[in-house]
Amino acid sequence: AARRLVEWHCFEELEHRAVAFDVYQDVSGGYFTRLLGMIIGIQLIALLSLYGLASFLVQDGHLFRPSAWRERALSGWD
């Protein structure tokens, strides 16, 4: 039952993506605008991910602990 639910959800998301892209094209969205949006989006995702990582490290009290960074770097963030 869970698999069917997940599959249904994936198909729904694909449909939403297709509708959003069709609307974008209808309002004369060009390639440059789409490219610029992707560049901005990727940078925002990276910035928010870094913020999330830093906030978790602060909560754990490990932000300024070089040993925590070294352990994570050697372990591959397992």
Side-chain angles (χ1 to χ4, degrees), residues 4-52:
R4 286 195 322 264
L5 178 64
V6 169
E7 288 174 349
W8 171 82
H9 183 70
C10 289
F11 287 123
E12 282 293 311
E13 291 302 321
L14 285 172
E15 181 183 354
H16 295 161
R17 180 182 170 269
V19 170
F21 186 72
D22 290 343
V23 169
Y24 172 76
Q25 285 185 319
D26 283 347
V27 295
S28 65
Y31 180 77
F32 178 74
T33 305
R34 197 171 74 196
L35 180 65
L36 186 61
M38 183 62 76
I39 291 170
I40 292 170
I42 288 171
Q43 290 177 351
L44 283 174
I45 289 171
L47 182 64
L48 291 173
S49 297
L50 182 60
Y51 173 77

